Amino acid sequence: MTSKTCIPSGNIELMQTMMASVDVSLARLMRQLHIQTDEPGLEIIDFLRLQEAFALEVGDESWHMSKRPLLPGTNDYVLASLGHCQHLNDALKQLALSYNVIHGGNYNQAELSERHLEYIIDDREFPYLSDARSEYIQFNLESVLLYVHGIICALLPDKPHIPLLKIYSRAPATKHTLLQSVLNATPIKSEASCYALRYANTVASEPLDWQRIGTLTSAKVYSELQRRIIAPSGDQQHQDFLEKVRQAINSDYRSQDAVADYLGCSGATLRRKLAEYQTSFRAVKEQVLDHQAKTLLSAQLAIEDVALALGFSDVRSFNRAFKSWNGLTPKEYSLTKRKNASQLS
């Protein structure tokens, strides 16, 4: 796929409706994430970052659809559990096991046969909330399949072709579904009995080079998925640079000079490229730290520990920064999230 915008407007409208149903503004999240587009669609990486921001906003990575809310940071926690796996098949089995433990049921499976390696999600008995709309559930599960494919891409960064043979979805056969829009080179069976990704079994024994993979995070999954799906244009290369800045800050390169050195450019080049995207190093750093802070607070870490983890000199400095980003203190944010979670349960 070579087009700049690969997520069509229909999917964006659905996500906007989902957000509005819980009083979250898509436009506000786009501003917070410095996402700008004159097109009716969105870049895949921006689309996934919006979904992540939505989960953080509502304090639930299941998007308020499960009876067992998933705290923000759950996906990164699951990714960290793959670090001991030596081959792709091992990693997919561990991935399924981790999510099954978290969800409290055997909903995920990784199956290897003589011809295929499959990752299967059977949600027919999943404990959804009674008011969870079917179109939201289908959209969520197709997003999960896309995320799992991104994990596989990130686990095999040097493999030029990932042999994805077929996709199964329980969603009805309609035009411009999420998976049809993004993975349009792969046949999709709609109205299937479960959600699944089917790969050639030759990929199952692919060794995992963790020195090459590095620390596996959602941000890295998104970036690798973007790289695989869209042929880099000038605009895409620019977006990749911005994402690399975010990844560097996420990896604890907190000063402008340190990030520039990490990216192999001068401080002046870093400032110029960020200015071209109508942002600055300070703005990107604050965005990353804000996301990290909300994730840690949602995991119920003490405010003092969050301040220390993010490199603030003291709690007062962290309180001032967080309030300038969000209009409320870390304590107020935590209380609000806990209240929302108790109401949901």
Side-chain angles (χ1 to χ4, degrees), residues 149 152-164 199 203 206-207 212 224-230:
H149 182 64
I152 293 172
C153 292
L155 288 171
L156 303 174
D158 295 324
K159 189 172 180 61
H161 173 65
I162 305 296
L164 177 58
Y199 299 88
V203 79
E206 286 285 342
R212 174 73 174 86
E224 183 64 20
L225 190 60
Q226 174 85 343
R227 184 179 73 85
R228 297 278 186 163
I229 292 172
I230 299 180

Side-chain angles (χ1 to χ4, degrees), residues 168-234:
Y168 295 82
S169 173
R170 292 186 64 202
T174 57
K175 294 181 179 180
H176 307 305
T177 67
L178 175 62
L179 292 174
Q180 288 171 336
S181 302
V182 179
L183 301 174
N184 58 6
T186 303
I188 299 177
K189 177 176 175 53
S190 302
E191 300 179 350
S193 61
C194 59
Y195 295 86
L197 299 170
R198 172 177 287 180
Y199 299 88
N201 71 346
T202 53
V203 79
S205 59
E206 286 285 342
L208 304 183
D209 183 354
W210 286 104
Q211 187 172 9
R212 174 73 174 86
I213 296 168
T215 302
L216 192 59
T217 63
S218 292
K220 184 170 289 187
V221 169
Y222 300 159
S223 181
E224 183 64 20
L225 190 60
Q226 174 85 343
R227 184 179 73 85
R228 297 278 186 163
I229 292 172
I230 299 180
S233 62

Side-chain angles (χ1 to χ4, degrees), residues 50-267:
L50 279 168
Q51 291 183 324
E52 184 181 44
F54 176 43
L56 189 60
E57 189 77 11
V58 298
D60 181 7
E61 289 190 350
S62 79
W63 302 350
H64 280 355
M65 283 184 269
S66 170
K67 291 181 180 179
R68 299 181 60 160
L70 300 183
L71 287 174
T74 298
N75 284 327
D76 280 347
Y77 177 80
V78 169
L79 292 178
S81 74
L82 308 182
H84 70 280
C85 299
Q86 298 183 353
H87 299 90
L88 182 63
N89 186 39
D90 304 328
L92 290 189
K93 287 184 178 297
Q94 178 62 49
L95 186 71
L97 175 62
S98 297
Y99 278 124
N100 286 339
V101 170
I102 289 168
H103 287 298
N106 192 32
Y107 309 112
N108 296 260
Q109 299 176 46
E111 295 186 354
L112 179 62
S113 67
E114 292 183 0
R115 298 180 60 187
H116 305 127
L117 172 64
E118 294 183 323
Y119 190 89
I120 302 167
I121 304 174
D122 187 348
D123 70 328
R124 287 173 293 184
E125 301 298 326
F126 190 84
Y128 291 114
L129 290 173
S130 58
D131 59 351
R133 293 171 56 177
S134 60
E135 62 266 37
Y136 293 174
I137 292 173
Q138 292 160 1
F139 181 74
N140 187 8
L141 266 294
E142 290 205 347
S143 296
V144 172
L145 286 185
L146 186 60
Y147 185 75
V148 171
H149 182 64
I151 292 173
I152 293 172
C153 292
L155 288 171
L156 303 174
D158 295 324
K159 189 172 180 61
H161 173 65
I162 305 296
L164 177 58
L165 304 179
K166 196 168 185 178
I167 301 169
Y168 295 82
S169 173
R170 292 186 64 202
T174 57
K175 294 181 179 180
H176 307 305
T177 67
L178 175 62
L179 292 174
Q180 288 171 336
S181 302
V182 179
L183 301 174
N184 58 6
T186 303
I188 299 177
K189 177 176 175 53
S190 302
E191 300 179 350
S193 61
C194 59
Y195 295 86
L197 299 170
R198 172 177 287 180
Y199 299 88
N201 71 346
T202 53
V203 79
S205 59
E206 286 285 342
L208 304 183
D209 183 354
W210 286 104
Q211 187 172 9
R212 174 73 174 86
I213 296 168
T215 302
L216 192 59
T217 63
S218 292
K220 184 170 289 187
V221 169
Y222 300 159
S223 181
E224 183 64 20
L225 190 60
Q226 174 85 343
R227 184 179 73 85
R228 297 278 186 163
I229 292 172
I230 299 180
S233 62
D235 288 339
Q236 183 55 43
Q237 290 170 355
H238 185 80
Q239 176 64 31
D240 287 345
F241 181 84
L242 183 58
E243 189 60 28
K244 287 176 181 177
V245 173
R246 295 190 187 102
Q247 289 180 11
I249 299 171
N250 263 316
S251 300
D252 293 332
Y253 293 88
R254 295 289 165 79
S255 73
Q256 185 169 261
D257 288 343
V259 171
D261 184 63
Y262 173 82
L263 297 176
C265 66
S266 66

Side-chain angles (χ1 to χ4, degrees), residues 12 17 19 63 95 136-137 230 290 319 331-332 341 343:
I12 309 305
T17 303
M19 290 182 179
W63 302 350
L95 186 71
Y136 293 174
I137 292 173
I230 299 180
D290 184 39
N319 284 337
K331 183 177 181 180
E332 292 168 339
Q343 290 175 344

